[in-house]
Amino acid sequence: MDWTDQAIVLGARKQGEGSLIVTLLTRTQGRQRGLVRGGAKSRQRGAYEPGTLVTATWRARLEEHLGHLTIDPGTSYVAGLLDDPLRLGCLEAAVSLAELTLPEREPHPAAFDGLVRLLGHLDRDDGYAAAHLHWELELLTELGYGLDLTVCAVTGTTDDLAWVSPRTGRAVSRAAGFAYRDKLLTLPRLLGGQGREGSDIEDLLDGLTLTASFLERQALAPRGQGLPPARTRYVDRIGRLVAISRST
Amino acid sequence: MSGAEIDRLIQLLAKLPGLGPRSARRAVLYMLKRRDAFMLPLGEAIGEVASAILPCRICGNLDTTDPCPICADPTRDGGLVCVIEDVADLWAIERTSSYSGKYHVLGGILSALDGVRPEDLNIPRLVDRAAGGDVREVILAMNATVEGQSTAHYLTDRLAVTGVKVSRLAHGVPIGGELDYLDEGTLAAALKARRPF
């Protein structure tokens, strides 16, 4: 058994003294793990950092084996992010969520392509926060819990969509949802809604609260898991920026 | 082939870093042939260290005294605190003989993969030390990895309330390193952190 594919490193854990068990998100093979012999001692140690785009070759005698990986380093996005807590936090939030939610050995090319796009935004430092939010929505869709944010679930209108039903994941217009506003989630402007009055960073926080609600309840809670701490720390950091923007 | 006690010794030694079953067997054979000259003193030394070892209540270093010799040394600069992940990092920095401040051992780094959270680390004690008034600079000597630097940013946030200066180790070209052999990430970090020459 063997394959070669484009992949994004999601994480690496030491195995024994010199080897690594590397977790990858590949384009056509899905989330895959494999042993990299001598990886912990290798001069290419940087290639196993989360968020690095690589070409991976996996070999095993049987498909159910862990298998051995050979990694050909590609584009490393990490070095440019290490000094920026927000961008680094965004990267860690995305890779840890992919690691936690995507099933092993099940192809999700849309999730892979979305993560590659996000890495590009992080590298260029342009619109990465919005790209991250859209990627989380794509991830929900890939996991089978896609949200319908284009039309009001009650009236069928496409105008003035302000909320999302936490039960159905469908948009609700301001007029139809007003009576239930305390129970509905805000649909931010970033996702095509009318949201609420506030700064862009508050709008982003509304978006992250929206995706967190569905990721937690639909994708993670049934498996007895919660959101990864890295994502919580990223959202906390955004929350602190919101507090600063409100106080100035 | 050998007695149960010897087999147990081989199995225990084989768990040490750098040793496998074969090298553990060789080590045991070496000790069996040098019972008085090596094996008994080694057993005594291990027993003494095992009964005396304890974590330093100030910095978290492992030693046989509390506070550890570094924290108790009045000639070291108490205004500088170098934060490291593990005791192995403390030993590595001490080998350079270029740092005369004190240390703080975190006991790990934040890790999504291994589920290490802030409450699992020795962070409250660090904030207390920094807020104590004697510390003027905290040096974050974390690994140049995503997890290492995420931990460093988290610590910077936590230390912000103390008003103490926070710095971190430089990233770049290692001594003796040839640019042609460097990975892209290190080279990019070195370019980014260039300075007047």
Side-chain angles (χ1 to χ4, degrees):
Chain A
M1 297 291 308
D2 68 317
W3 51 255
T4 298
D5 200 2
Q6 265 193 305
I8 300 163
V9 177
L10 298 181
R13 180 180 284 158
K14 265 187 105 170
Q15 171 72 14
E17 277 182 68
S19 300
L20 290 173
I21 291 181
V22 178
T23 309
L24 304 169
L25 179 61
T26 64
R27 189 161 200 291
T28 60
Q29 307 291 328
R31 186 167 67 85
Q32 288 269 356
R33 294 191 311 149
L35 185 79
V36 178
R37 280 199 194 283
K41 290 176 176 171
S42 161
R43 293 168 70 122
Q44 293 181 344
R45 182 66 181 85
Y48 311 119
E49 279 301 300
T52 307
L53 201 60
V54 298
T55 303
T57 301
W58 180 87
R59 283 191 188 88
R61 196 167 61 80
L62 296 172
E63 197 177 354
E64 57 267 33
H65 284 176
L66 175 66
H68 290 88
L69 278 169
T70 309
I71 304 276
D72 188 12
T75 313
S76 174
Y77 297 99
V78 176
L81 310 180
L82 290 181
D83 290 340
D84 186 334
L86 212 52
R87 282 195 292 156
L88 189 67
C90 183
L91 169 77
E92 228 191 344
V95 294
S96 58
L97 199 58
E99 158 98 35
L100 198 61
T101 55
L102 287 169
E104 208 169 345
R105 303 186 179 199
E106 193 179 296
H108 287 281
F112 174 85
D113 292 339
L115 196 50
V116 171
R117 276 197 301 278
L118 172 59
L119 290 172
H121 282 287
L122 282 166
D123 192 43
R124 293 189 300 272
D125 196 8
D126 69 351
Y128 65 86
H132 172 251
L133 182 59
H134 282 104
W135 178 76
E136 286 198 343
L137 273 185
E138 282 170 12
L139 185 68
L140 274 168
T141 305
E142 282 293 299
L143 295 170
Y145 310 113
L147 309 185
D148 181 0
L149 307 178
T150 56
V151 60
C152 175
V154 183
T155 62
T157 181
T158 55
D159 297 328
D160 204 20
L161 301 174
W163 287 297
V164 179
S165 161
R167 196 172 62 80
T168 63
R170 296 180 68 188
V172 181
S173 69
R174 193 179 304 277
F178 188 77
Y180 310 97
R181 62 189 180 282
D182 295 340
K183 291 178 181 168
L184 297 173
L185 295 160
T186 303
L187 178 58
R189 298 187 298 276
L190 264 173
L191 299 178
Q194 294 306 307
R196 56 177 158 181
E197 295 292 313
S199 61
D200 289 349
I201 194 87
E202 285 177 89
D203 197 52
L204 173 67
L205 191 60
D206 282 339
L208 291 168
T209 308
L210 174 70
T211 49
S213 165
F214 289 97
L215 283 165
E216 222 167 5
R217 199 157 50 86
Q218 309 279 26
L220 297 167
R223 288 152 50 186
Q225 291 172 319
L227 286 165
R231 190 194 184 276
T232 308
R233 284 198 299 275
Y234 172 63
V235 174
D236 286 349
R237 204 173 275 279
I238 301 276
R240 286 201 293 278
L241 290 178
V242 168
I244 291 167
S245 79
R246 278 179 187 156
S247 66
T248 52
Chain B
M1 194 171 71
S2 48
E5 294 85 358
I6 294 176
D7 275 347
R8 183 163 170 265
L9 182 59
I10 292 171
Q11 281 168 16
L12 286 172
L13 283 179
K15 289 180 182 171
L16 287 174
L19 292 188
R22 188 179 285 267
S23 39
R25 214 173 294 131
R26 281 218 313 273
V28 168
L29 201 59
Y30 177 89
M31 287 192 277
L32 292 177
K33 288 176 180 172
R34 292 160 185 80
R35 182 177 174 276
D36 294 329
F38 186 79
M39 198 175 194
L40 290 174
L42 176 69
E44 265 174 45
I46 289 175
E48 279 169 19
V49 172
S51 59
I53 196 87
L54 71 172
C56 172
R57 65 173 179 271
I58 298 172
C59 71
N61 183 18
L62 290 175
D63 214 307
T64 52
T65 56
D66 181 22
C68 70
I70 293 174
C71 287
D73 186 349
T75 65
R76 296 189 78 113
D77 185 353
L80 275 179
V81 173
C82 181
V83 183
I84 63 258
E85 178 188 335
D86 195 51
V87 176
D89 299 331
L90 186 155
W91 291 359
I93 294 177
E94 280 298 284
R95 281 200 301 272
T96 67
S97 306
S98 61
Y99 177 70
S100 59
K102 299 201 172 174
Y103 293 93
H104 189 88
V105 182
L106 272 187
I109 49 170
L110 300 176
S111 169
L113 217 57
D114 297 326
V116 181
R117 295 166 304 169
E119 49 269 37
D120 300 320
L121 304 178
N122 188 15
I123 295 174
R125 182 81 195 102
L126 172 66
V127 178
D128 287 348
R129 283 180 80 182
D134 295 333
V135 177
R136 62 176 190 283
E137 182 175 349
V138 173
I139 304 166
L140 301 176
M142 322 307 298
N143 292 333
T145 60
V146 169
E147 288 178 346
Q149 291 309 300
S150 292
T151 309
H153 289 307
Y154 180 80
L155 291 176
T156 307
D157 289 345
R158 290 287 301 268
L159 290 166
V161 291
T162 66
V164 169
K165 179 184 172 186
V166 179
S167 59
R168 68 151 173 82
L169 297 185
H171 302 150
V173 184
I175 302 296
E178 294 178 36
L179 297 191
D180 195 22
Y181 289 102
L182 281 186
D183 66 283
E184 294 164 24
T186 307
L187 205 47
L191 272 172
K192 205 175 167 191
R194 68 188 184 276
R195 58 184 182 189
F197 184 63

